[in-house]
């Protein structure tokens, strides 16, 4: 299912708007210098994605935020559960740092044991949308391991 709130892209260099089908990663006019910002229909989004949406959404993973991402939702059921990792209170480190309270996010509980799973999950979904049967990355470790984990599962 297409994301009904995602309407296109705007180049951060020239400001030109492109529909979903006119551009992919960089501006067709500016080339690699033209990074594309995702453009959403925020008026339509705020009618559906509100406090009640989150109160009633029982998907305890990052995929509960799918309407806020520029992804299609058809293949989310093929993805691993990513996110919703716990915040752990760290009293000792808080004291050492002079903080009243400190919480540490334990993304080691993600499928590959890395915070990179969030980006890798989206990357694999985007590859599936494009009809790709292969995905690759350049990495010194965590990103590649995460991407391999997500892609192998999907």
């Amino acid at each position: 299912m297409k994301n009904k709130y995602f309407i296109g892209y705007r180049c951060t260099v020239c400001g030109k708007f492109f529909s979903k089908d006119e551009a992919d990663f960089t501006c067709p006019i500016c080339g690699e210098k033209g990074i594309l910002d995702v453009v959403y229909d925020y008026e339509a989004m705020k009618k559906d994605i509100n406090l009640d949406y989150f109160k009633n959404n029982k998907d305890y993973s990052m995929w509960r935020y799918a309407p806020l991402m520029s992804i299609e939702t058809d293949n989310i059921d093929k993805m691993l559960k990513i996110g919703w990792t716990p915040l752990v209170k760290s009293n000792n480190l808080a004291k050492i740092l002079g903080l009243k309270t400190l919480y540490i996010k334990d993304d080691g509980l993600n499928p590959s044991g890395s915070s990179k799973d969030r980006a890798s999950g989206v990357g694999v979904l985007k590859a599936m949308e494009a009809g790709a049967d292969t995905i690759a990355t350049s990495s010194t470790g965590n990103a590649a391991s995460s991407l391999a984990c997500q892609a192998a599962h999907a």
Side-chain angles (χ1 to χ4, degrees):
M1 172 191 288
K2 298 264 185 206
N3 184 318
K4 66 182 182 178
Y5 310 111
F6 169 49
I7 58 176
Y9 304 99
R10 185 167 315 281
C11 176
T12 59
V13 175
C14 70
K16 183 166 172 45
F17 176 83
F18 299 95
S19 72
K20 302 175 207 181
D21 301 321
E22 292 178 297
D24 284 323
F25 302 105
T26 58
C27 178
I29 297 167
C30 300
E32 291 181 15
K33 293 180 182 178
I35 297 169
L36 298 176
D37 275 342
V38 176
V39 179
Y40 294 101
D41 181 347
Y42 289 110
E43 290 304 312
M45 186 186 288
K46 70 182 180 183
K47 292 176 187 170
D48 300 323
I49 310 303
N50 52 37
L51 188 57
D52 285 335
Y53 167 83
F54 289 106
K55 282 182 181 177
N56 297 317
N57 189 322
K58 302 302 180 206
D59 180 356
Y60 300 117
S61 76
M62 72 176 244
W63 304 119
R64 74 184 316 188
Y65 303 102
L68 306 173
M69 297 185 231
S70 60
I71 58 172
E72 296 176 9
T73 58
D74 296 345
N75 293 309
I76 287 178
D77 62 332
K78 297 175 184 155
M79 302 304 295
L80 291 166
K81 181 184 178 289
I82 304 167
W84 211 260
T85 55
L87 287 169
V88 180
K89 192 171 185 179
S90 179
N91 295 324
N92 292 338
L93 187 55
K95 184 185 272 187
I96 291 168
L97 296 173
L99 301 171
K100 181 177 177 182
T101 308
L102 176 67
Y103 287 89
I104 299 172
K105 186 79 167 153
D106 186 1
D107 271 353
L109 294 177
N110 274 323
S112 78
S114 172
S115 63
K116 303 290 185 177
D117 284 352
R118 298 170 199 277
S120 294
V122 173
V124 168
L125 274 178
K126 295 303 280 184
M128 292 167 81
E129 285 176 27
D133 63 359
T134 304
I135 189 168
T137 188
S138 173
S139 166
T140 58
N142 284 348
S145 176
S146 173
L147 188 65
C149 173
Q150 300 301 321
H153 177 80

